[in-house]
Amino acid sequence: MQLPRMPDGKPNGRAGQMLWYGGLAAVAAMGVVEWPVAAVVAAGSYVVDRRMKEARRTKPADAQRTGRRKESGTRTRTRPATGRSRRPQ
C-alpha cells in the first residue's frame, strides 16, 4: 500500500496569488496596516510578479537566439564603482 504524497506547503500560481492578496486585504481590514500601505504593497507585488513572468518568458528565447547557454552560476568579478580612478594623479 502506498501512502498519498504530502503537499509541499507552498501554494504557487493562481492559488498563491489569491492567498497573498486575500491575506493582505485581511490584514488591512483588521487594521494591522493602513489601506494606502496595503494598496502600495499590492501594486508593487503585481508589478514585480508581471516583470518576473516576462523575464522568464523572454530569457530562454534570448539565449536561444544568440546561441548561448545559460551560465553555470559563476559570477564574473567586477571592480566596485567608487567614483574615483585607481591611478594616482
Side-chain angles (χ1 to χ4, degrees), residues 47-57:
V47 169
V48 168
D49 185 49
R50 293 296 166 207
R51 286 192 179 183
M52 293 208 34
K53 283 182 182 179
E54 184 65 29
R56 276 188 237 126
R57 248 194 323 246

Side-chain angles (χ1 to χ4, degrees), residues 69-84:
R69 290 189 225 168
K70 183 179 176 186
E71 294 185 22
S72 64
T74 58
R75 298 174 72 190
T76 58
R77 299 191 78 175
T78 59
R79 291 183 11 200
T82 60
R84 291 185 276 156

Side-chain angles (χ1 to χ4, degrees), residues 15-68:
Q17 287 178 342
M18 297 307 289
L19 282 172
W20 168 249
Y21 292 122
L24 188 59
V27 168
M30 287 188 288
V32 176
V33 296
E34 297 293 324
W35 278 106
V37 174
V40 168
V41 169
S45 298
Y46 179 79
V47 169
V48 168
D49 185 49
R50 293 296 166 207
R51 286 192 179 183
M52 293 208 34
K53 283 182 182 179
E54 184 65 29
R56 276 188 237 126
R57 248 194 323 246
T58 59
K59 192 169 189 169
D62 289 343
Q64 195 174 44
R65 193 175 330 123
T66 60
R68 288 185 284 164

